[in-house]
Amino acid sequence: MHVHAPLDHIAFSSAWRSRSPVDKLVLGGGLLLLASLLPALPWSIAISIIAATAALAGARIPLRAWLRFLAPQLAFLSAAVLPIVLGEGWPRAASVWIRGLAGASCMTLLAMTTPVPDLLLAARRAHVPGVLVEMAFLVYRLIASIWELFERLRLGLDLRLRGGKPSWHAATLSAGNLLTRSLQTARRLERGASLRGLDGFPLLAPRCEPSRLFLVASVALQLVLLAAAIMLRSRYPW
Amino acid sequence: MHISEGSLPLTHAAAWTCASAPFLAHSISKLKTLRESRYLLAASAGYLFTLTALKLPSVAGSSSHPTGVALGTVLAGPAAMPALSLIVLLFQALLTAHGGLTTLGANVFSLGVAGPWATWLLWRLAARCGLGDQPAIILATALGSLATYACTSLQLALAHPDPSGGVTAAFLKFAAVFSVTQLPVATLEAAFTVVVLRMVVNAGGVRIAGLEAWAQL
């Protein structure tokens, strides 16, 4: 299972890497808000198409990567709407599924175009409490080390068991081992930072100014969607 | 846990965010007082991220997995959990496309508020009733994990009430479906928490809120 690298790697290599996080937050966040606000049909479908177009054509995210991250979310949604099919019927289940598709598309667009350090830097500039941003950055830094440790422990377990399934006890001991090593890694990191005279971790990300054109285009697109939804309210009731 | 993006109406998402806000504010002020332990708290949050990434699909846009709530509560204390949960949930949304951004408030409430406080109160209650340390931990972990899922079931039932039976019927339906995966997960997590805590305590050198109280295992 991939946890840390892929989405962030895609975000680091996307064509929108140098674009300000504010641009991407306004586009992705605005569409996400509209997906939650407007009726699922037809607006969630329109929002899904816009998000996919922005990701594939604008940010030049590879289609395979887009589908690879969207597919599991849709599989979850499909399994999830089953009780709604049984309880409230197909129309309601389809509505929840389509709205979920739009929400997942917007979130994936944001995640695939905005690396986490950029978002944290934007959060700090937006006066999100410093202690929260600093803690988030430390967690982000440690997740990479913990995941690497996890992979090493899993490989060791696989080799010891020659590919067999580990017992519950062995898996739990590995998990305990992972936690103790994670705490040791944190202590080493803290000692290293302290020896270098660092209080906390510096957030290093290039400062990108928001593009007025991009922001205007994003807001205009969202207003057009909202106006269309209001005008067609009698046909597609809220 | 982990209600996915688009599964809650905007009003519900906003209401759960408002409900989480005071706990988050308190939690952030708590983090300021725990500044000396920030690396260890961050390691605990990173560990919880790894633990909760092991997920199974479940009902209405949600998923089942070990919550790590009890472990997090012990390592960080219940007051610090809302902020740590917010960070873990945000990273899960942004790094693994798991959970959601509009549903963040609802997910923080179940994973960062309901679960940790239920675990903490149950553990204290069990200790006061004279239950031994290990049975108290097992009971608090299992019931705390189930409290997290009960909260998620309530959130989903309020968003998707049953046409005939209303919120109560929907809650029972969601809780019943969750229980298929979550009862075994909660039981295993209880034993898992005891073993992992023992290993951490035996390794020594860790002083974090909550952990010292468990060191008498």
Side-chain angles (χ1 to χ4, degrees), chain A residues 76, chain B residues 1-3 51-59 61-67 98 149 152 174-175 177-186 189:
Chain A
F76 269 92
Chain B
M1 241 310 293
H2 283 76
I3 300 175
L51 195 67
T52 53
L54 309 168
K55 60 198 187 236
L56 306 162
S58 196
V59 292
S62 59
S63 55
S64 291
H65 51 75
T67 61
H98 179 34
Y149 281 86
T152 306
F174 285 125
V177 180
F178 270 140
S179 65
V180 174
T181 51
Q182 204 49 36
L183 277 175
V185 168
E189 190 176 352

Side-chain angles (χ1 to χ4, degrees), chain B residues 76-174:
Chain B
M81 278 299 282
L84 293 186
S85 302
L86 174 74
I87 293 168
V88 169
L89 289 164
L90 187 68
F91 284 169
Q92 282 181 345
L94 293 174
L95 296 174
T96 67
H98 179 34
L101 296 175
T102 59
T103 55
L104 207 53
N107 286 335
V108 165
F109 195 88
S110 57
L111 192 78
V113 179
W117 281 107
T119 303
W120 188 255
L121 293 173
L122 283 164
W123 175 61
R124 297 295 294 267
L125 189 69
R128 278 201 176 183
C129 291
L131 214 61
D133 286 327
Q134 290 193 35
I137 294 165
I138 288 171
L139 188 74
T141 306
L143 294 181
S145 175
L146 293 179
T148 307
Y149 281 86
C151 183
T152 306
S153 300
L154 179 67
Q155 290 168 333
L156 291 170
L158 288 168
H160 306 285
D162 193 84
S164 51
V167 172
T168 311
F171 173 77
L172 293 174
K173 188 175 71 180
F174 285 125

Side-chain angles (χ1 to χ4, degrees), chain A residues 41-134:
Chain A
L41 275 172
W43 308 113
S44 287
I45 292 177
I47 289 167
S48 307
I49 292 169
I50 292 169
T53 308
L56 303 175
R60 290 189 218 131
I61 303 293
L63 176 65
R64 186 177 284 189
W66 178 259
L67 294 176
R68 187 157 58 98
F69 278 96
L70 208 55
Q73 296 180 72
L74 299 185
F76 269 92
L77 264 174
S78 304
V81 297
L82 281 178
I84 301 176
V85 173
L86 299 173
E88 298 172 72
W90 275 106
R92 174 82 179 129
S95 160
V96 171
W97 195 90
I98 293 166
R99 199 185 293 278
L101 167 69
S105 302
C106 297
M107 193 177 77
T108 309
L109 168 66
L110 188 64
M112 282 192 165
T113 55
T114 319
V116 168
D118 290 10
L119 271 180
L120 294 180
L121 208 61
R124 193 161 70 178
R125 286 189 191 126
H127 302 292
V128 171
V131 66
L132 196 64
V133 177
E134 186 193 19

Side-chain angles (χ1 to χ4, degrees), chain A residues 148-232:
Chain A
E148 201 185 326
L149 280 172
F150 176 73
E151 290 292 353
R152 285 217 304 266
L153 283 169
R154 195 166 65 172
L155 179 66
L157 202 61
D158 275 354
L159 290 173
R160 281 201 302 279
L161 298 170
R162 294 174 189 169
K165 203 177 168 189
S167 67
W168 180 86
H169 189 63
T172 303
L173 288 179
S174 291
N177 207 349
L178 178 66
L179 180 58
T180 49
R181 288 194 194 188
S182 304
L183 295 173
Q184 285 163 3
T185 303
R187 272 198 294 271
R188 280 201 298 271
L189 195 66
E190 183 176 24
R191 202 171 302 139
S194 157
L195 285 171
R196 279 179 285 159
L198 296 173
D199 183 27
F201 243 85
L203 267 172
L204 301 172
R207 184 175 185 131
C208 318
E209 292 302 322
S211 153
R212 189 173 292 179
L213 185 68
F214 191 94
L215 287 177
V216 169
S218 299
V219 173
L221 176 71
Q222 288 157 22
L223 287 176
V224 166
L225 266 177
L226 188 63
I230 291 170
M231 281 166 64
L232 296 172

